[in-house]
Amino acid sequence: MSTRVTAGIKAKGSCGSRNVFFGVAPHKGLCVTATGTVMHGKLEGGKRVVKGMRRFEEIPHTGRNGWLNLLKFWRENRFQQLHKHMERTFNTLGPIYREKLGTLSSVNIMLPSDVSELFKSEGLHPRRMTLQPWATHREIRNHSKGIFLKNGEEWRADRLQLNKEVMMSAAVKRFLPLLDEVAKDFCQMLQTRMEKEGRGEKGKCVLTIDPSPDLFRFALEASCHVLYGERIGLFSSSPSLESQKFIWAVERMLTTTPPLLYLPPRLLLRMGAPLWTQHATAWDHIFSHAEARIQRGYQRLSTSLDRASPAGTAGSQYTGVLGQLMEKGQLSLDLIKANITELMAGGVDTTAVPLQFALFELGRNPEVQESVRQQVRVSWAQAGGDPHKALQGAPLLKGTIKEVLRLYPVGITVQRYPVRDIVLQNYHIPAGTLVQACIYPMGRSEKVFEDPLRFDPSRWSREEGQRVEAAGFRSLAFGFGARQCVGRRIAESEMQLFLMHILLSFHLSVPSSEDLNTTVTLILQPETPPRITFSKL
């Protein structure tokens, strides 16, 4: 690949070493053991700990005036290149720095060992940064908030109910056949298109396209099938205008969120700022789309229950996450609507975009593509049509998704507010400080990964048999712990099944293997979607 992360010489000890890290000599200071105990000048657990913990104010920073920093960001268009800004700043200031933008202040870290310490202090009710523009929209429209915008015991109670339908293994087995069906239909749609538009002789046609519009339709079709238990027909020759508007609304919502994070949303609301108006209008359309689907789902479930046995069950047919939540009745209808809407809004771009990167990387790494395909073929043949068994027998599929998300994480940070004071890189971090684990720079750092810019899905299988320090904190695209992405199992299964059927049906190549330029809205995505060549196997 064309660019390599510049890194200094790795320090031999976590504290007090005079070796250079990222060009910055680490400061001496107190160190925290694995159990969080601060020791003075002793060896404990093999770590040297020394005196001299540094004050919070001594953490390297990018400028003390948040408003000047924000103005500079806007002038230099840094929001769209925030991931690159973080990478450069770590290379300049070292593995920890402070940043203030407008009203938002954070401490940014990128080493797995520091991330491990952060997550040990997240408490029973982990908090991440609240997306205030989203919360303000819910408040002014009198919508209930889903778990994405909640904290405390209220968040925990709702999350435990949702976990049963989207995270537990029994739930995954219920919705896997639905995702498998959509993935197969997508490949059939692509085959039909290849026969109509492809070049070459019959049976040897190739089709070179920008697949991103089709991937967005696939993600929306799959999400609707799992969440609402219904297909919406997006693979037809003329997809509905309603669905196209929903995709547009999600993209507009994501694009307008980042600038609003650093300004008071209610002030912009009073001013009638166009940016806020666009953001609120996009959310209104998302809610309108979800409301229509939820009402249809409610009517179907009511009809099904009326026809059911006296026990009142809707039968053995899986009714989607919506139907399961309604049947069990543990959440109010308003809370079900709020959470289903959030899952829908967060379930389209966040799978469609990584699939763009996955097709590109497999296309420009033919040896990797063939090794994954061979494993998939064997697993699929042995699974007898069972998608759960097929995925279990093809760990390279999971490795492919992890590798894509290592190089191109959907969200470039994971945030927490520690519930107690902690020490990171010998700096004191007070409880309640916003700390961001910056996973884009982490994924491309030579200090964290060997040959980090090489696309190698097998690296994750190799690591399972090795003891790698803080290994669990090297793959954080879906977050961590109790507050990890609630749609994780849906997204992982959806992307793996998609790639499985693509690799069983097509060979992938790319017209250009040049590195992709990327940009950040609320998520990381290519500046220009890559073109992919599909050839029938």
Side-chain angles (χ1 to χ4, degrees):
M1 298 178 79
S2 62
T3 311
R4 281 202 171 269
V5 178
T6 303
I9 302 169
K10 185 177 181 181
K12 293 181 179 178
S14 60
C15 310
S17 170
R18 293 186 179 276
N19 289 334
V20 175
F21 187 94
F22 288 90
V24 177
H27 300 296
K28 288 185 175 182
L30 290 177
C31 285
V32 181
T33 68
T35 58
T37 306
V38 181
M39 301 296 294
H40 299 256
K42 298 179 181 179
L43 278 173
E44 179 158 315
K47 293 185 179 181
R48 175 167 292 281
V49 287
V50 294
K51 294 181 180 180
M53 179 173 62
R54 314 276 299 204
R55 294 181 297 112
F56 177 82
E57 293 75 19
E58 295 180 86
I59 299 174
H61 60 82
T62 58
R64 299 186 184 280
N65 190 310
W67 297 109
L68 288 179
N69 292 343
L70 185 61
L71 181 62
K72 190 174 183 179
F73 258 65
W74 271 327
R75 282 179 174 172
E76 298 178 5
N77 205 28
R78 286 193 194 175
F79 286 115
Q80 285 73 25
Q81 291 296 305
L82 184 58
H83 55 311
K84 295 293 187 182
H85 162 77
M86 289 176 171
E87 193 172 43
R88 289 192 300 269
T89 306
F90 281 121
N91 287 335
T92 302
L93 299 181
I96 184 171
Y97 70 89
R98 285 188 296 135
E99 186 145 65
K100 188 170 185 180
L101 294 172
T103 58
L104 187 68
S105 297
S106 68
V107 171
N108 294 349
I109 59 176
M110 60 144 284
L111 293 181
S113 55
D114 290 335
V115 178
S116 174
E117 291 297 335
L118 172 64
F119 284 125
K120 288 173 187 174
S121 65
E122 66 177 4
L124 183 63
H125 304 126
R127 289 178 57 221
R128 58 187 175 197
M129 184 175 69
T130 298
L131 295 181
Q132 197 55 50
W134 297 17
T136 299
H137 173 267
R138 307 301 189 273
E139 291 160 7
I140 64 174
R141 296 290 195 263
N142 292 316
H143 291 311
S144 295
K145 294 177 182 176
I147 59 169
F148 194 87
L149 297 172
K150 285 184 174 181
N151 289 299
E153 186 55 43
E154 187 181 25
W155 159 80
R156 184 175 177 80
D158 292 357
R159 175 69 193 240
L160 290 174
Q161 294 303 321
L162 284 172
N163 282 352
K164 297 175 185 177
E165 305 307 329
V166 295
M167 293 290 286
M168 305 297 285
S169 58
V172 175
K173 288 181 180 179
R174 285 196 294 267
F175 63 64
L176 271 180
L178 279 66
L179 294 174
D180 191 52
E181 176 189 317
V182 177
K184 288 176 181 176
D185 288 353
F186 179 90
C187 289
Q188 183 59 53
M189 179 270 293
L190 193 60
Q191 175 63 34
T192 301
R193 183 174 176 184
M194 180 180 290
E195 292 169 358
K196 291 181 178 179
E197 304 174 21
R199 295 178 292 102
E201 300 175 9
K202 188 175 182 181
K204 296 183 180 179
C205 286
V206 297
L207 180 68
T208 300
I209 57 172
D210 164 14
S212 58
D214 297 311
L215 293 176
F216 282 111
R217 286 196 288 272
F218 163 76
L220 181 54
E221 184 81 15
S223 292
C224 283
H225 202 17
V226 170
L227 295 178
Y228 303 132
E230 68 171 358
R231 296 290 298 270
I232 57 176
L234 287 180
F235 299 156
S236 67
S237 56
S238 54
S240 71
L241 182 61
E242 174 198 11
S243 298
Q244 294 299 315
K245 286 182 177 178
F246 177 82
I247 294 172
W248 170 86
V250 170
E251 292 175 340
R252 174 58 59 183
M253 177 272 291
L254 293 172
T255 301
T256 54
T257 296
L260 292 170
L261 293 176
Y262 310 101
L263 296 167
R266 288 189 178 275
L267 176 61
L268 297 178
L269 172 63
R270 292 192 203 100
M271 294 169 58
L275 184 65
W276 171 257
T277 301
Q278 291 174 27
H279 184 75
T281 301
W283 267 121
D284 289 343
H285 193 89
I286 291 168
F287 268 84
S288 175
H289 179 275
E291 175 72 21
R293 296 286 169 192
I294 290 168
Q295 285 298 331
R296 282 200 287 270
Y298 182 75
Q299 290 168 3
R300 280 200 317 273
L301 182 63
S302 298
T303 302
S304 178
L305 288 174
D306 287 343
R307 295 173 180 172
S309 65
T313 60
S316 59
Q317 183 179 358
Y318 182 61
T319 55
V321 176
L322 174 65
Q324 296 293 111
L325 291 171
M326 286 180 169
E327 281 186 53
K328 294 182 178 176
Q330 298 297 310
L331 292 176
S332 70
L333 186 57
D334 281 345
L335 288 179
I336 292 173
K337 289 179 181 179
N339 284 291
I340 290 291
T341 302
E342 285 183 5
L343 283 167
M344 274 302 303
V348 179
D349 293 55
T350 54
T351 51
V353 171
L355 286 175
Q356 292 181 48
F357 290 123
L359 294 175
F360 171 75
E361 287 292 354
L362 289 170
R364 75 166 176 174
N365 291 280
E367 291 182 1
V368 172
Q369 179 186 159
E370 190 56 33
S371 66
V372 180
R373 178 181 290 109
Q374 290 303 323
Q375 192 179 82
V376 164
R377 277 177 170 164
V378 172
S379 181
W380 181 249
Q382 294 175 346
D386 184 334
H388 184 255
K389 289 181 179 178
L391 294 185
Q392 282 186 320
L396 280 178
L397 272 177
K398 185 175 183 179
T400 299
I401 299 302
K402 290 181 76 169
E403 193 72 343
V404 166
L405 295 176
R406 176 181 70 82
L407 291 167
Y408 311 100
V410 174
I412 60 173
T413 68
V414 178
Q415 319 89 32
R416 288 294 187 273
Y417 295 85
V419 297
R420 57 175 174 80
D421 289 12
I422 58 175
V423 178
L424 299 175
Q425 292 295 313
N426 290 346
Y427 291 103
H428 172 242
I429 311 294
T433 301
L434 172 61
V435 183
Q436 298 194 106
C438 301
I439 57 179
Y440 180 90
M442 178 197 293
R444 291 168 176 257
S445 171
E446 292 178 347
K447 297 301 175 185
V448 182
F449 292 97
E450 181 181 350
D451 199 1
L453 299 186
R454 182 164 62 96
F455 184 74
D456 180 16
S458 66
R459 78 168 73 233
W460 300 100
S461 298
R462 291 195 304 271
E463 284 189 3
E464 285 183 5
Q466 302 171 357
R467 294 190 64 182
V468 180
E469 184 182 2
F473 300 94
R474 290 151 56 90
S475 179
L476 292 169
F478 291 103
F480 173 81
R483 193 121 206 188
Q484 66 184 291
C485 172
V486 71
R488 175 176 189 163
R489 302 301 179 212
I490 298 174
E492 287 178 327
S493 303
E494 182 180 326
M495 290 189 285
Q496 289 180 52
L497 286 168
F498 175 89
L499 291 180
M500 181 175 73
H501 288 294
I502 286 289
L503 292 173
L504 288 171
S505 303
F506 305 100
H507 179 269
L508 306 171
S509 57
V510 290
S512 171
S513 61
E514 290 295 312
D515 289 351
L516 296 174
N517 293 321
T518 50
T519 186
V520 174
T521 53
L522 190 60
I523 65 174
L524 186 74
Q525 53 192 318
E527 284 186 356
T528 302
R531 292 178 66 78
I532 308 295
T533 298
F534 297 86
S535 308
K536 190 79 174 78
L537 289 174

